[in-house]
Amino acid sequence: QLQLQESGPGLVKPSETLSLTCTVSGGSISSSSYYWGWIRQPPGKGLEWIGSIYYSGSTYYNPSLKSRVTISVDTSKNQFSLKLSSVTAADTAVYYCASSITIFGVVIWPHNWFDPWGQGTLVTVSS
Amino acid sequence: QSVLTQPPSASGTPGQRVTISCSGSSSNIGSNTVNWYQQLPGTAPKLLIYSNNQRPSGVPDRFSGSKSGTSASLAISGLQSEDEADYYCAAWDDSLNGHWVFGGGTKLTVL
């Protein structure tokens, strides 16, 4: 079954760009069956969807973060990545990657979900 | 402030039935299906209920979900100590070209 694993620096300076990678195992990131997403959770707080990507490069972003977010996919490495620019302390969070399903390559977001999730990686924004 | 509203806490004794509510609006719960996630202490969220009332393989039938109008509920019957966790509801919101929204989470304590 699918397994996802986040990786990247645990500390980023304010105003810099946060970069994380999610490695997919147990399946192909090029599968037409999945969208690949990022979700974050500030310490002691709730969950916030950042965005999702298809192997073709089609993306959906949270409107509140869209101006600072870029999600990309590397099919050769079975990985997808997150870049969040101009970070502040408010971007300190555990970042999770997770998958969503498609039906014959078509994503129906109103009737979808996130499963499975990676274990998460804590990113702290501090000088 | 989360788009979906959940009580911050809930509690029950072993064997009891507890429910957790999730309130939204016409652009999210009122139009789309609701999912529930369970987050055990120090772990990643796990899908518990999808499409309002469906359980993924391996989730005990003690967990059930329902939806009515712009609200949803998660019920846990035969409460067990290992159910102590944070629970989050989620739904797609049709506003602003569409995006996922979550509840603020409910911390369930088994007394």
Side-chain angles (χ1 to χ4, degrees):
Chain A
Q1 76 240 27
L2 278 179
Q3 290 187 306
L4 289 75
Q5 176 72 59
E6 307 86 350
S7 60
L11 181 64
V12 180
K13 289 183 169 55
S15 79
E16 295 190 344
T17 296
L18 177 159
S19 296
L20 295 174
T21 296
C22 181
T23 300
V24 178
S25 58
S28 173
I29 203 166
S30 299
S31 168
S32 61
S33 299
Y34 302 104
Y35 256 78
W36 310 99
W38 289 97
I39 299 144
R40 69 180 183 178
Q41 183 175 34
K45 296 187 178 180
L47 300 164
E48 180 180 36
W49 174 67
I50 300 170
S52 297
I53 190 168
Y54 197 46
Y55 77 94
S56 64
S58 174
T59 52
Y60 291 83
Y61 293 136
N62 188 326
S64 67
L65 296 169
K66 186 174 183 177
S67 64
R68 298 194 291 131
V69 173
T70 302
I71 298 176
S72 59
V73 63
D74 187 337
T75 56
S76 67
K77 295 182 179 178
N78 229 35
Q79 295 175 335
F80 63 105
S81 298
L82 168 69
K83 290 189 186 299
L84 181 65
S85 64
S86 305
V87 297
T88 69
D91 295 309
T92 294
V94 176
Y95 286 75
Y96 297 100
C97 55
S99 67
S100 301
I101 64 166
T102 70
I103 306 297
F104 300 115
V106 177
V107 68
I108 305 174
W109 286 119
H111 307 288
N112 218 314
W113 49 86
F114 296 106
D115 180 57
W117 297 55
Q119 67 182 31
T121 187
L122 174 62
V123 178
T124 301
V125 179
S126 175
S127 54
Chain B
Q1 194 79 347
S2 300
V3 174
L4 304 181
T5 301
Q6 297 180 235
S9 63
S11 64
T13 56
Q16 264 191 335
R17 182 178 188 270
V18 298
T19 61
I20 297 172
S21 62
C22 176
S23 176
S25 67
S26 58
S27 64
N28 42 65
I29 294 178
S31 306
N32 306 316
T33 57
V34 177
N35 307 314
W36 291 90
Y37 299 91
Q38 177 192 56
Q39 186 174 32
L40 297 170
T43 70
K46 167 193 152 187
L47 181 66
L48 190 67
I49 297 286
Y50 67 96
S51 295
N52 301 330
N53 55 18
Q54 301 299 301
R55 286 186 308 276
S57 173
V59 173
D61 59 7
R62 302 186 295 105
F63 295 90
S64 62
S66 64
K67 186 185 104 168
S68 178
T70 58
S71 294
S73 291
L74 172 70
I76 310 171
S77 60
L79 196 62
Q80 299 181 4
S81 58
E82 61 256 38
D83 299 333
E84 188 159 290
D86 293 325
Y87 293 86
Y88 294 90
C89 59
W92 180 258
D93 192 298
D94 294 329
S95 67
L96 301 173
N97 289 322
H99 58 290
W100 283 101
V101 292
F102 290 87
T106 297
K107 181 173 181 57
L108 175 63
T109 301
V110 181
L111 302 170

